[in-house]
């Protein structure tokens, strides 16, 4: 187990033309499950490669506990890595691929052959590949190969696991099961785990702590609850949450805010003081989660906004509605049994206490 620290770490490609990481700072606590969440190209895989030592840093330092490991070779770092790209030995069977990390020269004295076989079969059974042990990688499907790659990391008990989208190619049912298994294994072993994913639901369900990466920069670090409830900026607000947060262009007018130029919402004194402290005089971005919006009759006095149902996306017990008003669209999440039909006129109501406020100049949260 180990604490992993990144200090002002930078990485460039193509002679500096691509800035993959821009002086990022991270502290991953000992024994925690830490998720790096972000869209494609955010720098998640690069971060894993730098911690693993697969690629050199261009600036900054990396520490494991109190030891700097910036210039250490990968085999000197005692980390186990699983990449999305499998990286299996094509000429070795599944059994041999799983056993390979335990047969490394530096570990020959740690594991007997009987212990190696027992551990391989234990991990293979856990991943549902125990009937594939004598096959070669070319005889496996993509999902099966990904499970072998994951198993090759899990077979060891290193200081840290580094997982780069390790279950991305699995089908939905198996992916859901594997998330639970990975979390259970991590809790039982207490091994520091860094896990990358573009799937915010996956990160929210797995992580003790998480960092939101965007174009090589860290947008926010915190617990899943903190990040969901108090997004640091508009990017995080839209990226974390399903469906994304509605962001409404608004204007402050005295003790009220005008939403989308269509309706006025009274602002409590506490919120007005926050806006004044942030020097917000007029323009404002107001965020509201789809789940916090309630449907009312369009003729009701409680209707802050009025529109028409454009789409209804049924997701089992819940549905996501797209409501159109003038040129604006707002999404609402609600119980399917209460959802209106496409084309119906509806009113929207939400509480100002459920709103999030952002500075349109910086897109940062106003606190």
């Amino acid at each position: 187990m180990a604490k992993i620290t990144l200090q002002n770490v930078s990485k460039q490609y193509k002679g500096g033309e691509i800035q993959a990481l821009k002086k990022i700072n991270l502290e991953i606590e000992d024994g925690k499950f830490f998720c790096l969440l972000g869209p494609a190209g955010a720098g998640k895989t690069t971060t894993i490669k730098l911690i693993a030592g697969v690629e050199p840093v261009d600036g900054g330092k990396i520490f494991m506990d109190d030891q700097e490991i910036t210039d250490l070779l990968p085999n000197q770092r005692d980390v186990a890595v699983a990449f999305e790209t499998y990286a299996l030995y094509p000429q070795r069977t599944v059994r041999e691929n799983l056993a390979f990390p335990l047969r490394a020269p530096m570990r020959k004295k740690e594991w007997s052959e009987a212990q190696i076989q027992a551990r391989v079969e234990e991990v293979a059974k856990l991943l549902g590949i125990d009937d594939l042990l004598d096959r070669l990688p070319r005889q496996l499907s993509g999902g099966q190969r990904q499970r072998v790659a994951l198993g090759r990391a899990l077979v060891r008990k290193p200081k840290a696991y580094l997982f780069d989208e390790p279950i991305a190619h699995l089908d939905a049912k198996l992916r859901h099961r594997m998330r639970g298994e990975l979390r259970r294994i991590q809790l039982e072993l207490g091994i520091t785990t860094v896990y990358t994913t573009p799937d915010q639901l996956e990160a929210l369900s797995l992580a003790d702590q998480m960092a939101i990466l965007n174009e090589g920069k860290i947008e926010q670090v915190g617990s899943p609850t903190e990040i969901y409830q108090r997004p640091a900026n508009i990017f995080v607000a839209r990226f974390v949450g399903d469906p994304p947060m509605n962001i409404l262009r608004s204007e402050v007018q005295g003790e009220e805010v005008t939403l989308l130029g269509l309706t006025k919402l009274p602002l409590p004194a506490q919120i007005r003081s926050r806006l004044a402290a942030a020097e917000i005089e007029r323009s404002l971005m107001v965020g509201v989660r789809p789940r916090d919006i309630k449907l009312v009759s369009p003729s009701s006095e409680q209707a802050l906004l009025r529109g028409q149902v454009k789409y209804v996306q049924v997701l089992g017990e819940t549905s996501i509605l797209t409501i159109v008003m003038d040129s604006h669209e707002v999404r609402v999440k609600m119980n399917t049994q209460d959802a209106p039909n496409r084309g119906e006129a509806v009113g929207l109501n939400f509480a100002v206490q459920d709103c999030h406020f952002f500075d349109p100049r910086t897109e940062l949260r106003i606190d």
Side-chain angles (χ1 to χ4, degrees):
M1 295 185 292
K3 180 177 75 172
I4 299 172
T5 306
L6 281 67
Q7 293 181 354
N8 296 316
V9 171
S10 299
K11 182 62 182 177
Q12 305 171 356
Y13 294 105
K14 294 186 178 180
E17 181 180 337
I18 298 176
Q19 297 284 333
L21 292 177
K22 303 170 185 176
K23 293 186 176 181
I24 69 167
N25 290 280
L26 271 180
E27 186 168 298
I28 299 166
E29 296 180 25
D30 184 7
K32 297 295 185 181
F33 199 117
F34 192 97
C35 280
L36 293 172
L37 173 66
K44 306 184 298 296
T45 297
T46 298
T47 304
I48 290 290
K49 288 179 176 179
L50 299 186
I51 297 173
V54 175
E55 291 188 5
V57 303
D58 291 326
K61 297 179 180 180
I62 301 175
F63 295 85
M64 190 167 288
D65 290 330
D66 296 324
Q67 179 189 5
E68 183 179 350
I69 62 170
T70 312
D71 298 319
L72 293 184
L73 295 172
N75 62 2
Q76 298 174 314
R77 301 190 183 202
D78 195 16
V79 297
V81 189
F83 288 111
E84 182 186 4
T85 50
Y86 318 133
L88 302 177
Y89 295 104
Q91 76 281 13
R92 298 178 185 271
T93 64
V94 170
R95 185 186 300 276
E96 291 168 337
N97 266 282
L98 292 175
F100 187 83
L102 304 181
R103 290 178 173 146
M106 65 178 62
R107 297 186 195 94
K108 278 189 174 180
K109 296 180 180 179
E110 297 177 22
W111 298 81
S112 67
E113 190 58 32
Q115 289 173 322
I116 289 174
Q117 292 305 322
R119 180 62 179 161
V120 164
E121 290 175 9
E122 178 187 358
V123 170
K125 186 174 182 181
L126 170 68
L127 296 171
I129 54 174
D130 47 322
D131 58 339
L132 306 176
L133 288 173
D134 296 321
R135 294 190 191 181
L136 294 170
R138 66 173 179 269
Q139 298 171 309
L140 306 177
S141 69
Q144 289 169 336
R145 273 179 268 176
Q146 191 162 47
R147 278 182 277 167
V148 176
L150 180 58
R152 200 169 57 180
L154 291 175
V155 78
R156 285 185 52 209
K157 295 180 180 178
K159 288 184 177 179
Y161 287 130
L162 307 177
F163 294 146
D164 183 33
E165 298 186 38
I167 58 176
H169 296 300
L170 304 184
D171 62 71
K173 184 176 180 180
L174 185 55
R175 191 162 61 243
H176 178 75
R177 179 190 146 213
M178 284 309 306
R179 283 202 296 264
E181 291 294 343
L182 283 172
R183 189 64 174 123
R184 181 185 64 78
I185 292 167
Q186 193 275 333
L187 287 171
E188 286 182 2
L189 299 179
I191 293 175
T192 307
T193 299
V194 186
Y195 185 104
T196 79
T197 178
D199 184 337
Q200 50 94 23
L201 291 177
E202 191 164 274
L204 290 171
S205 66
L206 283 172
D208 294 312
Q209 293 283 111
M210 55 195 287
I212 313 299
L213 272 174
N214 179 36
E215 296 182 345
K217 299 184 298 182
I218 293 177
E219 300 284 356
Q220 187 173 1
V221 179
S223 70
T225 300
E226 290 168 348
I227 288 176
Y228 182 81
Q229 293 182 349
R230 300 177 64 79
N233 54 43
I234 289 177
F235 175 84
V236 176
R238 284 177 167 155
F239 195 76
V240 179
D242 184 32
M245 182 184 290
N246 297 294
I247 304 295
L248 312 178
R249 290 191 175 276
S250 311
E251 285 190 356
V252 178
Q253 296 177 331
E255 297 183 358
E256 298 175 320
V257 60
T258 301
L259 304 172
L260 301 174
L262 299 174
T263 189
K264 292 183 178 180
L265 183 68
L267 290 173
Q270 182 184 8
I271 293 175
R272 294 202 306 272
S273 65
R274 283 162 51 189
L275 299 181
E279 299 182 349
I280 298 295
E281 297 179 357
R282 195 164 185 82
S283 294
L284 180 67
M285 304 294 272
V286 178
V288 57
R289 295 258 181 222
R291 71 169 192 174
D292 292 328
I293 299 176
K294 304 295 185 288
L295 294 192
V296 297
S297 169
S299 60
S300 170
E301 293 182 357
Q302 294 181 330
L304 295 173
L305 295 167
R306 294 170 176 85
Q308 188 179 49
V309 180
K310 185 178 181 181
Y311 304 116
V312 179
Q313 184 182 5
V314 178
L315 303 173
E317 294 182 359
T318 61
S319 289
I320 297 170
L321 280 60
T322 300
I323 313 296
V324 62
M325 51 204 74
D326 292 343
S327 60
H328 307 290
E329 288 186 349
V330 172
R331 287 180 175 79
V332 178
K333 189 173 185 179
M334 62 183 302
N335 290 332
T336 296
Q337 62 183 8
D338 300 324
N341 296 318
R342 183 173 180 267
E344 283 190 37
V346 295
L348 308 182
N349 176 268
F350 48 88
V352 68
Q353 290 82 3
D354 292 328
C355 292
H356 305 255
F357 300 96
F358 302 94
D359 189 330
R361 299 163 297 185
T362 63
E363 298 197 348
L364 296 177
R365 181 185 187 85
I366 297 171
D367 280 324

